[in-house]
Amino acid sequence: MRYSVRKTVLSVFILYGLLTGTPLAITAQGLQALKNWEAGQVVTTEEVRAFGIDSCFMAEEIPDRVWLRMQGKTYKENPHIGRSDLRHIRTLHWDYDQKIHIGEMVCNKDISNDLVEIFKALYEARYPIQRMVLPDEYDADDERQMQANNSSCFCYRPIAGSKTLSKHALGMAVDLNTLYNPYVRRRKNGTLFIQPSNASQYINRAANFPYKIDKNDLAYKLFKKHGFRWGGDWTSHKDYQHFDR
């Protein structure tokens, strides 16, 4: 029965393509990835259209499947923030491969609508974001996910190199294209602390390279428009990937 339904759905899309001249690029696998919201998967414009673009950019209460994945990783029992304070963001994003990727992010409910608007605008502009999966995929290891150039928001953790809670711990900060926009701080002994540790070639912000965020960048302009601060403006250290409110 399941196969028959799937076959019928695909037949309808084939007929639609023949009648409208729309290239056929719809698969049951792509539609299933959208239905299950499998972040990291690649889908086509036709699959997005068939699924419904409005369902691809939204903030929702944390689904059970997501909440279970977060336990003991990005989420730890604490007195500051709970499940009801957080939202799960659905978004699509383009990359330099000219393909559409499914993305997801957990954030504070207070910025959830802003993030939906920002990421929808970035999608419409085909702004390149390489990866946007939950940090739980990396066991909430910030170094690992940053080395993978992952973009994320909520993670209950301290600021890098300190014991102070980060704004990420409250879901109020977003890190974007993290490998190419590193965190840089000069230690007391004069050496540089760079995170991720493999990003030293990207601390020269006068150089040209992919994914670089500066004040001419669309992401910078959109986040600032929505009232966020940019870590690249800070003086005591630089956090080029970081936007918070």
Side-chain angles (χ1 to χ4, degrees):
M1 179 63 71
R2 230 179 248 175
Y3 173 76
S4 298
V5 172
R6 185 178 299 170
K7 187 175 180 181
T8 300
V9 170
L10 288 174
S11 297
V12 169
F13 289 138
I14 290 170
L15 179 60
Y16 173 81
L18 291 173
L19 292 174
T20 64
T22 302
L24 179 63
I26 299 174
T27 66
Q29 182 179 4
L31 289 175
Q32 192 66 32
L34 287 164
K35 180 181 178 182
N36 295 336
W37 209 255
E38 299 171 4
Q41 296 299 308
V42 171
V43 291
T44 66
T45 53
E46 289 78 15
E47 287 162 351
V48 170
R49 190 180 299 118
F51 181 70
I53 188 70
D54 290 340
S55 298
C56 296
F57 293 91
M58 59 183 292
E60 59 185 352
E61 293 185 356
I62 307 293
D64 289 342
R65 60 179 178 79
V66 173
W67 186 242
L68 287 172
R69 286 163 56 198
M70 294 168 61
Q71 299 309 299
K73 295 179 181 178
T74 54
Y75 187 81
K76 301 174 180 66
E77 286 296 326
N78 71 91
H80 305 292
I81 192 162
R83 182 175 183 175
S84 63
D85 301 308
L86 300 170
R87 293 293 181 267
H88 179 250
I89 300 293
R90 292 185 176 198
T91 184
L92 300 173
H93 60 95
W94 293 88
D95 194 12
Y96 284 116
D97 59 7
Q98 296 302 306
K99 294 178 180 178
I100 301 170
H101 301 252
I102 299 174
E104 66 179 341
M105 188 172 282
V106 169
C107 70
N108 193 294
K109 64 182 180 182
D110 291 344
I111 63 169
S112 59
N113 291 333
D114 293 282
L115 293 189
V116 169
E117 290 183 22
I118 289 169
F119 286 120
K120 188 170 186 181
L122 291 175
Y123 171 79
E124 290 171 346
R126 296 200 175 200
Y127 181 92
I129 299 174
Q130 187 171 20
R131 184 172 292 104
M132 193 189 299
V133 301
L134 298 186
D136 308 280
E137 297 296 315
Y138 302 91
D139 294 322
D141 185 317
D142 209 35
E143 176 70 16
R144 281 178 54 205
Q145 71 154 338
M146 290 166 70
Q147 287 193 16
N149 202 32
N150 189 49
S151 299
S152 67
C153 180
F154 176 75
C155 185
Y156 196 79
R157 63 171 176 79
I159 295 170
S162 80
K163 295 181 179 180
T164 305
L165 276 182
S166 165
K167 285 225 169 186
H168 291 283
L170 300 177
M172 294 294 289
V174 173
D175 286 344
L176 192 66
N177 286 328
T178 49
L179 172 61
Y180 298 85
N181 299 284
Y183 173 96
V184 184
R185 175 173 54 82
R186 189 168 296 278
R187 298 185 180 97
K188 291 181 179 179
N189 64 7
T191 62
L192 292 178
F193 173 76
I194 302 170
Q195 193 177 27
S197 58
N198 61 337
S200 58
Q201 62 185 306
Y202 304 117
I203 64 174
N204 177 9
R205 307 310 284 183
N208 291 318
F209 46 83
Y211 305 108
K212 185 177 76 170
I213 298 172
D214 58 24
K215 292 186 177 181
N216 295 314
D217 184 67
L218 178 59
Y220 168 84
K221 293 176 181 178
L222 288 170
F223 275 98
K224 291 291 285 186
K225 179 182 176 182
H226 284 263
F228 286 79
R229 303 184 306 166
W230 179 46
D233 284 330
W234 298 343
T235 54
S236 62
H237 61 278
K238 298 293 185 180
D239 200 353
Y240 297 107
Q241 64 195 246
H242 181 96
F243 297 94
D244 72 33
R245 209 167 72 187

